[in-house]
């Protein structure tokens, strides 16, 4: 199931792409909702059924309702904070062996490691991980990895220390990407209607970006999830 879900999520997340620090959330609730709402429409019938079986009752049968869960649980699962990003020392060349670790040097503790880990957990029925949480983590982290500043630079904490002004509002570069761009787009172009913005993104996927889908899914080794790329 997960093998089918993940590539489809990768496709739509790239199309939708426009926290490093524990106080910063990736995309924000609206961004993650839109990413997963679009992904739902790309699932095969079999995958959609499997996903619904794993969703918690409070999701109302919608994957999108769960896609900010990993942010809301960061204080309960403090170990998960490093799993939302994969920063580099400034060369913009992600190297898994060098860059995928937490501040204590523990390996595999980055967003790429998390995508690989929770994909494997969903594929393995004997995994000790809770499958519902694995699905919710995976859906969230695939969104995170496509937010440019979740793959940013260590020295500025993924843009969190770069102070900017978004129109008249003081902010930081990370927050602009996470929230401000989407909020402004919703207000200025979509009359605060998330459904209308989702439809516009879908149109770009099926029209302008449709010939790019295959290359989004292509990576050197199929034993991994393409998250390295």
């Amino acid at each position: 199931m997960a093998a089918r879900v993940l590539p489809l999520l990768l496709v739509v997340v790239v199309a939708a792409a426009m926290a490093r620090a524990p106080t910063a959330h990736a995309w924000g609730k609206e961004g993650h909702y839109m990413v997963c709402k679009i992904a739902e429409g790309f699932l095969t019938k079999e995958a959609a059924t499997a996903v619904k079986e794993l969703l918690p009752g409070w999701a109302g049968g919608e994957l999108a309702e769960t896609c900010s869960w990993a942010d809301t649980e960061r204080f309960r699962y403090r170990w998960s904070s490093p799993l939302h990003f994969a920063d580099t020392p400034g060369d913009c060349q992600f190297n898994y062996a060098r860059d995928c670790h937490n501040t204590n040097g523990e390996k595999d503790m980055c967003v790429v490691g998390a995508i690989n880990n929770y994909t494997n957990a969903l594929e393995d029925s004997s995994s000790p991980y809770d499958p519902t949480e694995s699905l919710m983590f995976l859906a969230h982290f695939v969104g995170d990895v496509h937010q440019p500043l979740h793959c940013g630079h260590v020295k500025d904490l993924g843009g969190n220390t770069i102070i900017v002004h978004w129109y008249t509002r003081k902010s930081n570069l990370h927050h602009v990407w996470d929230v401000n761009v989407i909020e402004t787009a919703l207000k200025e172009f979509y009359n605060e209607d998330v459904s209308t913005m989702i439809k516009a993104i879908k149109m770009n996927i099926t029209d302008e970006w449709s010939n790019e889908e295959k290359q989004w899914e292509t990576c050197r080794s199929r034993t991994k999830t393409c998250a390295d790329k």
Side-chain angles (χ1 to χ4, degrees), residues 4 70 91 107 132 140 149 158-159 195-196 216:
R4 297 187 181 188
D91 56 9
K107 296 293 185 180
T132 295
H140 182 90
L149 293 174
S195 296
T196 302
W216 293 341

Side-chain angles (χ1 to χ4, degrees), residues 36-220:
C36 288
K37 194 64 179 175
I38 295 168
E40 287 178 335
F42 279 79
L43 298 176
T44 64
K45 184 177 181 180
E46 181 185 3
T49 299
V51 166
K52 284 190 176 182
E53 289 176 354
L54 290 179
L55 292 174
W58 53 263
E62 289 193 41
L63 176 65
E65 290 293 338
T66 73
C67 286
S68 292
W69 173 85
D71 277 337
T72 63
E73 296 297 311
R74 287 176 86 163
F75 289 101
R76 184 160 73 103
Y77 295 148
R78 292 186 180 274
W79 52 265
S80 72
S81 286
L83 303 183
H84 293 254
F85 62 92
D87 289 344
T88 68
D91 56 9
C92 294
Q93 298 293 323
F94 175 74
N95 180 301
Y96 190 94
R98 180 192 67 181
D99 301 323
C100 192
H101 57 80
N102 61 16
T103 54
N104 295 322
E106 186 179 355
K107 296 293 185 180
D108 304 317
M109 295 294 286
C110 74
V111 68
V112 177
I115 290 171
N116 293 339
N117 182 46
Y118 289 113
T119 298
N120 291 337
L122 286 168
E123 291 177 327
D124 182 3
S125 60
S126 66
S127 170
Y129 293 109
D130 180 278
T132 295
E133 291 195 354
S134 293
L135 174 65
M136 294 191 294
F137 272 131
L138 178 61
H140 182 90
F141 292 143
V142 173
D144 278 355
V145 79
H146 288 96
Q147 203 278 50
L149 293 174
H150 279 252
C151 302
H153 294 166
V154 173
K155 65 180 180 181
D156 56 42
L157 304 182
N160 274 290
T161 64
I162 300 176
I163 304 303
V164 298
H165 282 83
W166 181 252
Y167 294 89
T168 59
R169 187 186 309 175
K170 187 176 181 180
S171 187
N172 68 67
L173 189 59
H174 191 109
H175 192 264
V176 166
W177 272 98
D178 271 354
V179 177
N180 298 142
V181 170
I182 292 175
E183 283 183 345
T184 301
L186 277 169
K187 180 180 178 181
E188 298 294 328
F189 304 114
Y190 302 106
N191 197 31
E192 303 283 8
D193 188 345
V194 172
S195 296
T196 302
M197 189 168 177
I198 289 173
K199 288 178 182 177
I201 295 170
K202 283 183 176 180
M203 287 178 64
N204 278 340
I205 295 172
T206 56
D207 296 331
E208 183 178 353
W209 302 327
S210 60
N211 63 342
E212 299 178 15
E213 289 186 23
K214 293 300 181 184
Q215 70 187 51
W216 293 341
E217 296 184 59
T218 302
C219 59
R220 205 172 286 174

